[in-house]
Amino acid sequence: MDSLRLHIPWAHGITLIPNRFLDEYMLKANGEFVKIYLYLLRSAPSGNLPSLSVLADKMYCTERDILRAIRYWEKEGLLLLASDDGQKLSDVTFTFPENHSKEKAAAAEPPKTTPTPEEPEPLKPQAVPAQAETAAALPPQDPLTPDQVKKLKEDEDIVQLLYIAEQYLARPLTVTDTNKILYFYEKLKFNTELIEYLVEYCVSKNHKSIRYIEKVALSWAQQGISTVEAAKETANQYSKTYFTIFKALGIQNRNPVKSEMEIMDRWLHEWGFSMDLILEACKRTVLQTGSASFPYTDKILEDWRAAKVHCLADLEAVDANHKAKASSPSSQKASHAKSAQAKPNRFNDYPHRDYDFDQIKKSMFQQ
């Protein structure tokens, strides 16, 4: 295949990028795929494209990467491909189905029903911590068999997914990386678009370890998340959660930094605290320290975790027990003794001296 013939129904002399491409397709696509699409679009007025090898050299990628991108846009409905007699790709035609996006949205949305007066409108599901109990049961984390892995790697979509993951992680995938990604696909039943967004989301949070990515994947699976849209809604919910905690600590006019997000993620995901408890810990932090101290709040929650505090009722019991101990006679006696020993008064707050008064008198008579 020396060259491809390109066909475009738009005006020559300029490169037109339809707004629908920017709004509906570009944001969710891999950056390399977008770059290749735009270069094809730029080359379309001439009617021909250099050979794939020349194009690959220009774009610092492989011919396989070019074909992968072209097939991706074909699957999205933006390109029509044709082959020659030798079954080699020969023609690429740009297209935008008129009702493509509307049909996809209609197929994805369940039919809407109007609630009866006796039945209130169902509440939208809210994001929950990864450790909280949910209705969705996770499949056992048994490793895939070598035959399963081999079969999945023969799927063009899986090959493309692994390539995209490598681009986001900026390193070759290890065997563990690959097996985890295949586990998300085969066992958690995530589609390739959701897994791609999963990796992109974690990398955007400066987390490139497969262990962190797996934790997020399991959290999404427990919440029943199966689409990119649902995952984005959950991510936005957690962003709102960060700023709710910031507000409780009196922090304004700035975004959380990485270390602060990691601490808040620990409270929410690893320790599984509800927002009520976290906000109560923030309130006590400000009352005790007069400032926004993440270490102080973290210590409060760590103590509550050790005391097995799971809700405000548990906290009330812990506070009552602490108050009872503090007001006991033995505790008060020990407190007073410690206070008396520790606090000097104005009469003894100076170094004491020993005087020999007999010697002083003798000295005075001798003068």
Side-chain angles (χ1 to χ4, degrees), residues 329-344:
S330 60
S331 176
Q332 289 182 350
K333 184 177 180 180
S335 177
H336 290 318
K338 183 177 180 181
S339 177
Q341 184 179 7
K343 294 182 180 179

Side-chain angles (χ1 to χ4, degrees), residues 12 25 32 52-53 57 62 70 79 81 94 113-114 157 197 204 220 226 245 249 275 289 295 310 312 327 357 359 366:
H12 288 223
Y25 300 94
E32 290 295 317
L52 292 185
S53 60
D57 289 340
T62 66
I70 290 174
L79 297 179
L81 308 182
F94 288 84
T113 58
T114 303
D157 288 340
Y197 177 71
S204 72
W220 288 1
S226 58
I245 296 173
L249 287 171
M275 183 55 64
T289 68
H310 301 294
L312 289 177
S327 61
F357 290 99
Q359 182 65 35
Q366 289 176 351

Side-chain angles (χ1 to χ4, degrees), residues 33-107:
F33 293 174
V34 173
K35 186 169 71 172
I36 291 170
Y37 179 89
L38 294 178
Y39 192 84
L40 291 174
L41 198 60
R42 167 66 181 85
S43 304
S46 67
N48 290 287
L49 188 73
S51 66
L52 292 185
S53 60
V54 173
L55 184 58
D57 289 340
K58 281 179 174 290
M59 310 198 77
Y60 300 99
C61 60
T62 66
E63 294 182 34
R64 188 184 179 106
D65 296 334
I66 304 293
L67 289 173
R68 224 183 253 129
I70 290 174
R71 292 197 177 101
Y72 171 82
W73 293 118
E74 179 194 28
K75 189 172 70 172
E76 288 293 307
L78 302 189
L79 297 179
L80 294 177
L81 308 182
S83 303
D84 57 21
D85 294 338
Q87 298 302 308
K88 291 184 178 180
L89 182 63
S90 61
D91 291 77
V92 178
T93 301
F94 288 84
T95 180
F96 260 106
E98 287 298 323
N99 298 318
H100 181 67
S101 59
K102 295 180 181 179
E103 290 172 358
K104 286 180 68 177

Side-chain angles (χ1 to χ4, degrees), residues 2-217:
D2 295 330
S3 63
L4 295 176
R5 292 186 295 274
L6 300 175
H7 310 274
I8 187 171
W10 307 318
H12 288 223
I14 57 174
T15 301
L16 294 175
I17 304 174
N19 288 337
R20 281 183 57 195
F21 174 78
L22 302 176
D23 296 337
E24 300 177 22
Y25 300 94
M26 183 186 71
L27 297 179
K28 67 178 182 179
N30 172 265
E32 290 295 317
F33 293 174
V34 173
K35 186 169 71 172
I36 291 170
Y37 179 89
L38 294 178
Y39 192 84
L40 291 174
L41 198 60
R42 167 66 181 85
S43 304
S46 67
N48 290 287
L49 188 73
S51 66
L52 292 185
S53 60
V54 173
L55 184 58
D57 289 340
K58 281 179 174 290
M59 310 198 77
Y60 300 99
C61 60
T62 66
E63 294 182 34
R64 188 184 179 106
D65 296 334
I66 304 293
L67 289 173
R68 224 183 253 129
I70 290 174
R71 292 197 177 101
Y72 171 82
W73 293 118
E74 179 194 28
K75 189 172 70 172
E76 288 293 307
L78 302 189
L79 297 179
L80 294 177
L81 308 182
S83 303
D84 57 21
D85 294 338
Q87 298 302 308
K88 291 184 178 180
L89 182 63
S90 61
D91 291 77
V92 178
T93 301
F94 288 84
T95 180
F96 260 106
E98 287 298 323
N99 298 318
H100 181 67
S101 59
K102 295 180 181 179
E103 290 172 358
K104 286 180 68 177
E109 292 182 358
K112 296 182 179 179
T113 58
T114 303
T116 62
E118 296 79 11
E119 295 178 345
E121 183 103 42
L123 295 175
K124 293 182 179 180
Q126 297 296 321
V128 297
Q131 301 298 323
E133 290 186 9
T134 61
L138 294 175
Q141 297 190 40
D142 298 329
L144 300 178
T145 66
D147 288 341
Q148 287 177 308
V149 173
K150 181 180 179 182
K151 184 177 180 181
L152 287 171
K153 284 187 173 181
E154 292 173 353
D155 187 323
E156 184 65 27
D157 288 340
I158 296 298
V159 173
Q160 175 181 306
L161 173 63
L162 296 177
Y163 168 78
I164 293 172
E166 283 189 341
Q167 303 309 304
Y168 279 126
L169 297 176
R171 58 175 172 79
L173 297 180
T174 65
V175 174
T176 301
D177 295 337
T178 301
N179 288 341
K180 289 296 183 183
I181 292 173
L182 297 181
Y183 170 80
F184 305 154
Y185 181 83
E186 185 71 11
K187 299 294 185 179
L188 299 185
K189 303 302 180 184
F190 285 6
N191 58 38
T192 55
E193 288 80 9
L194 181 57
I195 298 174
E196 179 182 340
Y197 177 71
L198 166 68
V199 177
E200 177 188 356
Y201 169 78
C202 293
V203 170
S204 72
K205 301 296 181 183
N206 296 315
H207 292 288
K208 293 186 177 183
S209 83
I210 195 64
R211 185 177 180 183
Y212 183 90
I213 295 172
E214 181 185 22
K215 282 186 177 182
V216 176

